[in-house]
Amino acid sequence: MDFSYLFTDTHSIITVSVGVGMLIILYLFYGLIFFRFGIQARKAEKQADEHTTGTSPASVVMLTHNQADMLRLHLPFILEQVHPDYEIVVTDYQSHDDTQFVLQLCSSYYNNLKNTSLQQDVNFFQGIKYPLALGIQSAKKDNVIVLTEPDCEPAGGDWLSTITTPFANPDTQIVLGYTCLRSKTNPLGILQQYDNMVYNCRMLSSAALGHPYTGNGRNLAFRRSFFFDNGGFISHYN
């Protein structure tokens, strides 16, 4: 095929030039943002080496709705974290499966498990934010709140220590965590992995640049006092 006209036709030259220019801008945009994220990741690794154990008291808060099977699989990994002072607060939101049975069974083996239950919406409060706020309210007053979900499994026994270590700095209010997906070899799974990676890189890179705009409730930590000082989820209750 003959593409020589691209270098002689004015309209083609303009179109190709604009396309190449936009591609260069896109590469520079993502390159600079992700490069900054890489630098921050190395700094975080260095800090983790210097402070191997988080000592800030923590409350892992989790909301569940008909996820007994997920709790049975993943809750023990959270209950056996290597951390000197932490509790697990699980709020059961209108479940009608074996959730309560699983929580009662785990409570008989683990003293640091606390569970609350909300079987119906209160007044005009609907959705998951209100029961999640109840779980945060039930946590110990001075603890760091760590959010995760029943379908999530910690990457290791030091997950909780790692995410709470930055709170040794009194100026730290929020810590964003990366959440990966289980590896899948089919085309859809690969696409999901890529989309998840780009989302998390964009989220963490923006935060590293000083412009945080979102967080992932599967792996997120903040000070309990900071949550209530800023009104919590009040704007989401209805």
Side-chain angles (χ1 to χ4, degrees):
M1 299 180 66
D2 183 17
F3 294 99
S4 59
Y5 70 92
L6 293 176
F7 302 99
T8 57
D9 182 69
T10 304
H11 293 290
S12 299
I13 293 175
I14 294 175
T15 302
V16 172
S17 299
V18 171
V20 171
M22 293 177 65
L23 190 62
I24 292 174
I25 292 173
L26 186 65
Y27 281 145
L28 288 174
F29 176 75
Y30 279 106
L32 292 174
I33 289 181
F34 290 173
F35 178 73
R36 179 65 177 270
F37 173 50
I39 294 176
Q40 291 296 120
R42 291 187 180 91
K43 289 182 179 179
E45 290 177 358
K46 185 178 179 180
Q47 292 176 354
D49 292 337
E50 296 174 352
H51 306 282
T52 55
T53 303
T55 56
S56 300
S59 296
V60 180
V61 178
M62 184 188 307
L63 178 68
T64 181
H65 173 68
N66 291 333
Q67 294 174 290
D69 291 339
M70 291 297 176
L71 287 172
R72 191 181 296 112
L73 287 174
H74 302 138
L75 188 55
F77 290 99
I78 302 175
L79 287 163
E80 296 180 359
Q81 289 291 298
V82 180
H83 192 282
D85 184 10
Y86 80 102
E87 64 176 358
I88 314 294
V89 181
V90 181
T91 300
D92 177 16
Y93 178 50
Q94 300 184 11
S95 295
H96 47 75
D97 59 355
D98 292 334
T99 294
Q100 279 299 316
F101 173 76
V102 173
L103 292 176
Q104 290 173 6
L105 182 62
C106 290
S107 296
S108 63
Y109 288 96
Y110 299 95
N111 295 327
N112 59 338
L113 176 60
K114 180 191 301 183
N115 63 83
T116 60
S117 179
L118 183 66
Q119 295 305 319
Q120 62 182 9
D121 291 319
V122 180
N123 297 327
F124 58 87
F125 298 152
Q126 298 179 358
I128 66 173
K129 295 298 185 183
Y130 182 68
L132 183 59
L134 287 180
I136 296 173
Q137 177 70 42
S138 301
K140 293 181 180 178
K141 186 175 181 180
D142 297 325
N143 279 15
V144 168
I145 302 299
V146 182
L147 298 185
T148 188
E149 296 180 0
D151 59 350
C152 297
E153 180 180 317
D158 59 348
W159 161 71
L160 187 56
S161 294
T162 301
I163 199 170
T164 56
T165 292
F167 291 100
N169 182 347
D171 294 330
T172 300
Q173 300 294 337
I174 300 177
V175 174
L176 302 177
Y178 179 84
T179 304
C180 62
L181 299 178
R182 291 190 181 277
S183 178
K184 297 180 180 179
T185 56
N186 58 67
L188 179 60
I190 295 173
L191 183 62
Q192 289 175 332
Q193 292 276 357
Y194 174 76
D195 180 68
N196 180 71
M197 180 194 69
V198 172
Y199 168 79
N200 279 277
C201 286
R202 192 179 294 131
M203 173 189 73
L204 297 174
S205 298
S206 297
L209 289 169
H211 301 285
Y213 70 95
T214 189
N216 193 323
R218 293 183 174 90
N219 198 4
L220 174 70
F222 48 84
R223 295 188 188 276
R224 186 178 183 274
S225 57
F226 176 79
F227 176 80
F228 288 107
D229 288 345
N230 287 274
F233 295 133
I234 290 178
S235 62
H236 296 269
Y237 286 167
N238 59 350

